[in-house]
Amino acid sequence: MTQDDLKKAVAVAAVEYILPLLEEDTIVGVGTGSTANMFIDELAKHKQLFDGTVASSEASAERLKGHGIPVYDLNAVNSIRVYVDGADESNNHLHLIKGGGAALTREKIVAACSEEFVCIADESKLVKVLGDFPLPVEVIPMARSYVARELVKLGGDPVYREGVVTDNGNSILDVYNLEILDPVALETSIDGIVGVVTNGLFAKRAADILLLGTKDGIKTLKK
Ligand code: 5RP
């Protein structure tokens, strides 16, 4: 099985998982990335069962609209029943690294507003200790060098993601060589640097459930 086969399998499993939650007024939060794209394509088969979605990126919003699925501004909805999104890494506590697709800020906002966060990933994303994947940090452009110097003080090696502008008009620093033994503490420390918009650690608001595509089938991990 290829990695894409595993991503497709978890996308199908995620739709099966959320089907009982869908009612005519249900809003579904939708993430960003290749696994989320497969979820969107599966979700489209059931679009008559729910009201609409809130998307974590312009790219996902376009894909949803292409399927004829309504996409609402977050400020126009009262609640999001469930949020489904991929991840770049997860540990066993369902603390995540996200932001490989530069959508981390909107992803974190949608996750914060959602009753339940279902993470979907292939088995390569499950790790013992977070940090092999460079941690994305969204920064206000004028603060980029200052934030980079502060990240070095925290033990990381930040690299500017050249040519990338987020949906919010900001820049991304990818922080290499962090061994993240206390994800909640590091998430809080990085958030405290002036000029940081968001960092890609989802530990304070971790996933509630991780559906993992493995060669032996779908594995379910819960907090
Ligand atoms: C985007 C993300 C994605 O969820 C993450 O990069 C995983 O992507 P993929 O499903 O393509 O492996 O955080 O900002």
Side-chain angles (χ1 to χ4, degrees):
M1 272 183 125
T2 66
Q3 194 178 24
D4 273 356
D5 292 334
L6 299 178
K7 288 180 180 187
K8 175 83 191 297
V10 282
V12 171
V15 169
E16 280 167 10
Y17 178 83
I18 70 164
L19 270 183
L21 310 177
L22 300 181
E23 295 178 359
E24 64 181 17
D25 60 349
T26 303
I27 303 292
V28 179
V30 177
T32 299
S34 56
T35 319
N37 280 344
M38 293 186 193
F39 169 73
I40 291 170
D41 296 345
E42 286 301 313
L43 185 66
K45 298 174 185 168
H46 306 279
K47 63 183 177 188
Q48 73 287 353
L49 295 180
F50 60 100
D51 182 356
T53 58
V54 169
S56 68
S57 65
E58 301 295 338
S60 291
E62 284 314 304
R63 196 174 186 100
L64 287 158
K65 287 178 198 163
H67 282 296
I69 300 174
V71 180
Y72 295 109
D73 185 297
L74 180 59
N75 296 303
V77 305
N78 287 325
S79 66
I80 299 174
R81 176 61 189 86
V82 63
Y83 176 51
V84 180
D85 197 1
D88 298 301
E89 280 185 352
S90 174
N91 65 17
N92 280 314
H93 303 286
L94 310 195
H95 300 143
L96 312 174
I97 286 182
K98 292 185 45 54
L104 61 161
T105 298
R106 294 188 188 194
E107 291 171 340
K108 203 175 263 199
I109 293 168
V110 179
C113 296
S114 298
E115 283 175 47
E116 187 174 359
F117 178 4
V118 178
C119 184
I120 52 175
D122 69 84
E123 60 190 343
S124 70
K125 306 290 182 70
L126 187 64
V127 298
K128 283 209 168 69
V129 177
L130 298 173
D132 271 353
F133 190 92
L135 178 67
V137 179
E138 179 164 350
V139 297
I140 300 289
M142 73 172 288
R144 192 181 87 220
S145 298
Y146 168 72
V147 171
R149 289 193 293 274
E150 294 300 304
L151 290 167
V152 169
K153 289 181 194 166
L154 292 177
D157 295 318
V159 174
Y160 173 43
R161 205 184 291 182
E162 297 266 1
V164 170
V165 178
T166 70
D167 285 349
N168 315 304
N170 297 316
S171 306
I172 297 283
L173 294 170
D174 291 307
V175 190
Y176 288 77
N177 300 322
L178 290 170
E179 191 190 16
I180 305 174
L181 299 173
D182 188 342
V184 172
L186 186 64
E187 182 178 0
T188 304
S189 299
I190 296 176
D191 279 348
I193 301 171
V194 172
V196 168
V197 179
T198 323
N199 73 82
L201 276 169
F202 286 54
K204 288 187 276 187
R205 202 288 181 242
D208 297 303
I209 180 165
L210 171 62
L211 300 178
L212 202 64
T214 80
K215 290 183 182 58
D216 303 320
I218 303 295
K219 289 195 176 148
T220 303
L221 281 78
K222 287 189 179 162
K223 264 199 301 197

